[in-house]
Amino acid sequence: MAVEQPVGVPDHPAAAGDATAVAHPNIALIKYWGKRDERLVLPWTDSLSLTLDVFPTTTRVRLAPGAGRDAVTLDGVPLAGEPRRRVVAFLELVRERAGLALPAVVETRNTVPTGAGLASSASGFAALAAAAGAAYGLGLDATGLSRLARRGSGSAARSVFGGFALWHAGQPGHADADLGSYAEPLPVPVRALDPALVVAVVDAGPKAVSSREAMRHTVDTSPLYRPWAASSQADLIEMRHALDRADLDAVGEIAERNALGMHATMLAARPAVRYLSAATLTVLDAVLELRRGGVAAYATMDAGPNVKVLCRGADAQRVAAAVRGAVGTAAVHLAGPGPGARLLGANPDANPGANP
Ligand code: DP6
């Protein structure tokens, strides 16, 4: 799919009118959990992730001068309710910045099980930000695109970049808080680290509580939230050192404890939010067993029961076999470091975030 026939918006020469972008999900090794500003999507803590090379989202945005309102589809099906509201609110933000009131046709193709804690909102809003930014002619650089994607879904700020990315929370109380909160690519010796993620989908169904709602409830009611946020900043510093020296065991240990700590904050919320299922714990046992057998394997879980196991690329098949052996019904996917968001059919200079 290339950028096709611009519809032509004569008074806005920068607007392509029609743009298609692709973005990949990312998995946080240091989690984002909790906002200090809901409207601007500003987090309490920095987070750090790896963008994957599987489950891309492709989004086309076409300006539709004759239409009465936005038309938004996901895999050919019109979106309704909250998912549609979030996309339309995002388009409103883009229109406001572009000074262009035209509605749009938004067509998204997702290859990730939507809502299953596999970060479809990260790839989704990164692709939407890139496509809408180009269609409406915002002329953003990669940092600007990351800030914009953040407004759709926090984790999307990181999917703008390939490989490892660090999302700066920004300074609370700063005069222009929006400017200070963006992701940037992290230089990591990826070849020496040889990271792979074995994704164990133990349940592909939609989650009962959205991550947005769950993190709000956790911040508001969990006595463990503040201690976790403080320890997460310390984890981040250690994680950066571990990545610098390509120490996969240290990276895995820190990622696993950070994720378990995040889930502990939810379990301590009132009432508790529990995403981890019996199958999740079975996979965690299998990961522990792998480690006892000398394989570097470490688990991380997001707002859902599915488990992503960090390991060396060289061990990925063995880890996948162990996970399949533990939960026969799990769909298991192998992933490696993937690229950042990019416009299809565009000049490479228009894709500043695309390469790790
Ligand atoms: C558990 O980015 O989906 O995956 O900003 O409300 O859209 P919103 O939340 P979202 O939350 C992701 C949370 C997480 C951890 C992470 O990706 O860092």
Side-chain angles (χ1 to χ4, degrees):
M1 243 184 298
V3 175
E4 290 173 12
Q5 297 286 322
V7 294
V9 187
D11 48 336
H12 285 84
D18 183 348
T20 301
V22 58
H24 289 73
N26 69 77
I27 297 298
L29 302 180
I30 300 292
K31 301 296 185 189
Y32 147 53
W33 195 250
K35 296 176 186 62
R36 63 179 203 275
D37 186 313
E38 293 269 340
R39 188 181 65 85
L40 293 176
V41 192
L42 298 172
W44 279 112
T45 58
D46 297 342
S47 57
L48 188 155
S49 62
L50 176 63
T51 298
L52 306 185
D53 59 358
V54 294
F55 305 139
T57 297
T58 305
T59 296
R60 180 178 180 188
V61 176
R62 270 180 294 151
L63 306 192
R69 64 176 212 153
D70 297 312
V72 186
T73 57
L74 175 61
D75 296 325
V77 179
L79 277 188
E82 180 62 11
R84 181 188 149 84
R85 194 202 59 73
R86 277 179 70 171
V87 171
V88 171
F90 188 81
L91 292 172
E92 287 298 346
L93 179 67
V94 172
R95 283 191 276 261
E96 191 187 302
R97 290 196 184 172
L100 199 52
L102 297 177
V105 176
V106 179
E107 294 162 307
T108 293
R109 300 260 158 211
N110 240 354
T111 52
V112 52
T114 299
L118 282 172
S120 62
S121 68
S123 53
F125 277 101
L128 179 62
Y136 283 92
L138 293 185
L140 296 170
D141 62 8
T143 306
L145 189 57
S146 176
R147 286 191 195 102
L148 176 64
R150 189 198 80 224
R151 297 288 297 272
S153 186
S155 52
R158 302 182 308 234
S159 272
V160 166
F161 299 101
F164 289 89
L166 169 64
W167 173 19
H168 300 279
Q171 286 292 328
H174 189 277
D176 191 344
D178 174 66
L179 276 183
S181 189
Y182 56 88
E184 63 180 353
L186 269 188
V188 167
V190 175
R191 208 163 292 167
L193 191 67
D194 184 26
L197 276 171
V198 173
V199 180
V201 182
V202 298
D203 182 353
K207 50 196 167 205
V209 187
S210 71
S211 52
R212 183 154 286 194
E213 179 53 39
M215 69 173 83
R216 185 185 300 137
H217 176 66
T218 304
V219 173
D220 288 349
T221 70
S222 176
L224 298 192
Y225 182 71
R226 277 165 188 276
W228 173 78
S231 71
S232 194
Q233 286 297 139
D235 283 348
L236 181 90
I237 293 167
E238 272 190 59
M239 176 64 86
R240 292 193 65 172
H241 289 308
L243 287 170
D244 280 347
R245 56 177 201 273
D247 182 344
L248 189 94
D249 281 288
V251 168
E253 263 179 43
I254 300 162
E256 191 174 288
R257 76 182 186 216
N258 188 268
L260 289 171
M262 176 186 77
H263 283 277
T265 67
M266 298 182 220
L267 292 170
R270 296 163 189 188
V273 177
R274 185 171 63 86
Y275 287 117
L276 311 182
S277 69
T280 310
L281 299 182
T282 304
V283 177
L284 290 183
D285 281 345
V287 168
L288 209 52
E289 205 51 47
L290 280 164
R291 285 214 289 271
R292 287 193 183 119
V295 179
Y298 300 89
T300 183
M301 291 81 62
D302 294 302
N306 302 314
V307 185
K308 297 92 183 183
V309 186
L310 178 70
C311 61
R312 291 197 173 82
D315 292 329
Q317 291 293 352
R318 189 169 162 190
V319 170
V323 169
R324 281 196 197 96
V327 182
T329 52
V332 178
H333 306 270
L334 269 53
R342 69 190 172 91
L343 285 168
L344 298 184
N347 171 331
D349 294 344
N351 285 310
N355 292 312

